[in-house]
Structure formats: structure tokens, C-alpha cells
Amino acid sequence: MKSLSRKALTIEPSQTLALFARAKNMKAEGIDVVSFTAGEPDFPTPAIIKDAGIKAIQENFTKYTPNPGIPELRKAIAEKLKKENQVAVEPSQILVSNGAKHSVFNALQAICNKGDEAIIPAPFWVSYPEMVKLVDAKPVLVKTTFANQFKMTAAQLKKAITKKTKLLIINSPSNPTGAVYTPEELAEIGKVVASAGIYVIADEIYEKVIFDGIRHFSLGSIKEIRDQVITVNGCSKAYSMTGWRIGFMAAKREIIKAAEDYQGQVTSNANSIAQRAALAAFTNNLDADLNSMVSEFDRRRRYLLGQFREIEGIDFVYPRGAFYLFFHAKSYLNKAFDGKRMKSSDDLCEYLLLEHQVAMVPGTGFGDRNWIRLSYACSMEDLQKGVERLKKGLARLG
Ligand code: PMP
Ligand code: GLU
């Protein structure tokens, strides 16, 4: 038999997707698992968006669309970026794709050559390093510190830049930590980006899930670097539309043209019905839906923080955005259950899942084997039940 692709064989499977699926399968087998794995809002898509999708089907809007997206949607996204993010782009600078994940990959395809280096602050979202490897570039992981809520400083970025650096990938609010970069921190990072002349992929998918009255800031709004920034966002988190698969990138026309040509040969346009639904999301006032979703996430976040403050021997990042709590069960690692030592968060997560039926994603896939990601995109009832199980599980270790 001929061998398979080396590239495909060496790619790590997405740990977030794998654990989400594993918890779901266990539930389907009748096991009462509480799943803290999902990276998706547990709310229905707002009615106005669903209706637009239904109408698109009824009107037979079910054919190929222009490859980069329907003109009305590109226009609506450009207007959203100008108004909400102060990112000045024309509709021709927008490429609509099958989710923000696809947009990140298209952006990498458009700018990377073999051997280029991509700087990624660690911990990171699981898919960034693997996508960078898929375009034959090299992920350069910059270790950040808990003391700085795992945010990369401008000085750390500067130190990591070499002649081969092509880009930086930055994600705020962050998956997995929930940390949010301040406008001042991003301005400092922007100065380094300007002087090094590198590109930045700014993944802003959690832009709207943000707490404590703080404001999201877009790197692409900094005039000096606006031709270097590729802003990525989408409908999955803000409008609870994970299954519809609509994301977009905004960048200077030259980058969009390259990504558009690439998309045109690989997938063609994003789903026509979902594009109409996304158009409804961007052109209607959905503040009421958004506010009620975010305030429910906030209620859960506060509950979790209260609970975690009471658990001895745990460090956690105070989350200001997204719907994750990232924690280090430092006093429990190296303890044992039934003769088995918890050497890493993988062991701990496995133990908590099998013995206490609570599922979380170990930090290994995010670049830190000691930490664990808990997603609170689940009901308050499940959250309470799961936290009790987690506490009990930790207390049983000796
Ligand atoms: N970026 C980050 C940081 C994410 O957590 C995710 C996962 N939802 C995505 C991008 C991709 O989102 P989607 O493809 O659903 O738009
Ligand atoms: N982004 C979500 C997560 O981190 C969904 C899964 C994925 O696409 O990785 O859990």
C-alpha cells in the first residue's frame, strides 16, 4: 500500500472537538456526564436570524453565490467593522468563509511561505499551531505568565521576532484563558508590529462576550498597521450560530484577493442560506438577545469564581471575556487515586471524567499540560452539579 500524507498523519486532532464528542457519546450511552467541554453558546440562534434562513430556503436562495460572499453581506460586515471596531475597510476587503476557523486558515494560506515563522502566545487556541504547520510554516510559541494573565507583552513579542517572522496570531478575548488585552497593551504590541513590518491575525471571535463593562479593542483600528492586520471574526459566538458556519476576514485587498483565489479553488462560497441568516444578524438590532446571553454567562462566571475562590490549592485566571475558566489544580497534581498518580492535567481530567463524570479539556492541547479549561457554556443546574463533582473528585485524591 502507498503511504498517506505525512502532513495529514502528523497533525494533532483537535482536542476541544475530541473531548466534546467523547462527553456527548458517553451521554448517548446513558452515562450522566456533566460536560464542561463545549466551546459554543448553549442558547438558540435568535429568531430573526432563523427566520432569514427559512426565508432564504423558501425563496430558493439555494445556489452558488459569488465566491467571496454575497455583496449585501460583505457590505454589512464592512459597515459593522467601521462602526463598532473603527476598522476602516471596504466591502471588497471582506472575505466570507465557512466559520472563523476557515478564515484563519485562509489568511495563513494567503500570507505564509515554507519556513516562515508565526508567533503564537501560549497558552493558545488548539488549532493555531496545527494550521500553521499545515501551510508549511513554523509555529513559534511564546510562553506567557500567569502573573500577566497569560497575555503576551510587547517586550516578549519583540524578543521573539526574527528575520523569518511573518506574522503574529493574537486572540482577545482569549480561548482558553478568558483574558482580554487592554487597548494600551494592544497599542504597545501594535508599535512592535509596525516596526517589524509583520502581519497579525487578530482573532476577535469572542468580541461580544465580554464582562465588567470593559471594551473590546481591535488592533486593525490602529492606523499605522492597518495594512498589516487581518481581522477575523464570525457569527458563531455572538449570535449562537456555531452550526451555520459563517466567519469572515477583513484585510487589505491584496491579501483578500489571494485568500479569495485560494477559497475559490478549495471550497467556493460559504453556504448561501447561512449567508442570508448572517446578513440578518449584522443588519438587525439584536442587542436584547446579546445582552441576555452575556448576562447569563456573567451570572455563571460569578458563581464559578465564588466556588473556585473557596477551593484550596487552585490558581485560576480571572476571566473577563469568552466563556471559559482556565485553572491550575496545583495542590492536586501529583496526588493519586487508586494508586494512579495525576502526573498532568490529562491524568486529572481522565480521572474526573471516569470516576466523577465531569468532562473538561486538559491544557495539553492549549500548550500547557498543567492547566485545565472549563467551559461554562452550559445550564446553571449543570454548572452547580459539575462543580460539586469536581470538588468531590479533588477531595478524594490523596
Ligand atoms: N477562534 C477561536 C479562538 C475559537 O475558539 C473558535 C472556536 N469556536 C474559532 C476561532 C472558530 O470559530 P468558528 O469556526 O465556529 O467561527
Ligand atoms: N472553538 C471551540 C472550542 O475551543 C469549538 C471547538 C473548536 O472548533 O475547536 O471549544
Side-chain angles (χ1 to χ4, degrees), residues 281-299:
F282 290 119
T283 52
N284 283 284
N285 185 340
L286 291 167
D287 286 355
D289 296 81
L290 184 67
N291 292 342
S292 77
M293 178 175 81
V294 175
S295 58
E296 176 57 22
F297 279 139
D298 194 19
R299 191 168 80 95

Side-chain angles (χ1 to χ4, degrees), residues 235-309:
C235 296
S236 286
K237 317 288 162 160
Y239 304 110
S240 206
M241 287 176 70
T242 45
W244 296 79
R245 312 305 304 130
I246 294 290
F248 64 82
M249 63 186 264
K252 72 171 170 179
R253 178 62 202 152
E254 190 190 350
I255 297 176
I256 294 296
K257 164 88 171 67
E260 191 179 314
D261 291 345
Y262 172 76
Q263 173 163 303
Q265 295 290 17
V266 179
T267 60
S268 305
N269 62 274
N271 176 296
S272 61
I273 301 151
Q275 286 191 64
R276 276 279 190 86
L279 179 63
F282 290 119
T283 52
N284 283 284
N285 185 340
L286 291 167
D287 286 355
D289 296 81
L290 184 67
N291 292 342
S292 77
M293 178 175 81
V294 175
S295 58
E296 176 57 22
F297 279 139
D298 194 19
R299 191 168 80 95
R300 298 174 195 170
R301 180 185 70 126
R302 285 167 196 272
Y303 165 77
L304 262 182
L305 287 170
Q307 293 292 314
F308 270 66
R309 281 191 188 113

Side-chain angles (χ1 to χ4, degrees), residues 96-386:
V96 178
S97 305
N98 301 294
K101 195 180 242 180
H102 189 207
S103 301
V104 172
F105 193 58
N106 280 343
L108 290 170
Q109 287 285 4
I111 59 180
C112 288
N113 286 310
K114 192 168 180 178
D116 284 348
E117 293 178 355
I119 295 179
I120 304 172
F124 43 75
W125 177 45
V126 289
S127 297
Y128 297 143
E130 301 309 306
M131 287 202 232
V132 165
K133 287 189 230 158
L134 281 171
V135 298
D136 293 324
K138 185 179 157 209
V140 173
L141 308 178
V142 173
K143 204 169 168 358
T144 58
T145 62
F146 171 50
N148 199 36
Q149 295 156 47
F150 294 118
K151 291 191 277 186
M152 186 189 62
T153 63
Q156 285 175 317
L157 172 61
K158 198 168 173 187
K159 215 170 137 210
I161 291 176
T162 71
K163 276 200 203 112
K164 290 189 179 163
T165 307
K166 184 57 96 44
L167 79 147
L168 158 71
I169 306 182
I170 197 155
N171 173 221
S172 176
S174 157
N175 177 5
T177 67
V180 178
Y181 284 79
T182 65
E184 293 75 26
E185 287 165 339
L186 289 172
E188 287 305 308
I189 286 173
K191 283 183 201 158
V192 180
V193 167
S195 74
I198 59 172
Y199 293 110
V200 186
I201 296 179
D203 181 345
E204 306 188 348
I205 192 82
Y206 295 98
E207 160 196 38
K208 307 250 186 202
V209 187
I210 199 157
F211 312 110
D212 300 332
I214 56 172
R215 172 170 86 82
H216 167 79
F217 180 82
S218 292
L219 257 183
S221 67
I222 303 175
K223 265 204 199 88
E224 291 73 21
I225 54 168
R226 75 170 172 217
D227 282 349
Q228 290 159 252
V229 179
I230 301 160
T231 304
V232 169
N233 206 330
C235 296
S236 286
K237 317 288 162 160
Y239 304 110
S240 206
M241 287 176 70
T242 45
W244 296 79
R245 312 305 304 130
I246 294 290
F248 64 82
M249 63 186 264
K252 72 171 170 179
R253 178 62 202 152
E254 190 190 350
I255 297 176
I256 294 296
K257 164 88 171 67
E260 191 179 314
D261 291 345
Y262 172 76
Q263 173 163 303
Q265 295 290 17
V266 179
T267 60
S268 305
N269 62 274
N271 176 296
S272 61
I273 301 151
Q275 286 191 64
R276 276 279 190 86
L279 179 63
F282 290 119
T283 52
N284 283 284
N285 185 340
L286 291 167
D287 286 355
D289 296 81
L290 184 67
N291 292 342
S292 77
M293 178 175 81
V294 175
S295 58
E296 176 57 22
F297 279 139
D298 194 19
R299 191 168 80 95
R300 298 174 195 170
R301 180 185 70 126
R302 285 167 196 272
Y303 165 77
L304 262 182
L305 287 170
Q307 293 292 314
F308 270 66
R309 281 191 188 113
E310 281 172 15
I311 309 176
E312 299 263 327
I314 283 209
D315 281 338
F316 55 89
V317 180
Y318 180 93
R320 293 190 177 278
F323 33 67
Y324 306 112
L325 185 82
F326 199 52
F327 70 94
H328 179 198
K330 58 182 180 186
S331 301
Y332 304 90
L333 285 171
N334 276 321
K335 285 193 173 176
F337 171 77
D338 214 7
K340 187 169 173 357
R341 196 159 291 288
M342 305 293 131
K343 290 198 213 86
S344 65
S345 64
D346 293 85
D347 293 342
L348 197 52
C349 284
E350 192 67 16
Y351 156 74
L352 289 167
L353 178 59
L354 297 182
E355 300 296 331
H356 299 276
Q357 291 75 49
V358 55
M360 287 169 296
V361 186
T364 321
F366 301 105
D368 194 319
R369 65 197 293 272
N370 290 324
W371 288 65
I372 294 176
R373 188 189 82 174
L374 185 164
S375 162
Y376 51 92
C378 61
S379 70
M380 194 67 183
E381 201 188 351
D382 269 5
L383 197 59
Q384 285 165 344
K385 194 157 91 176

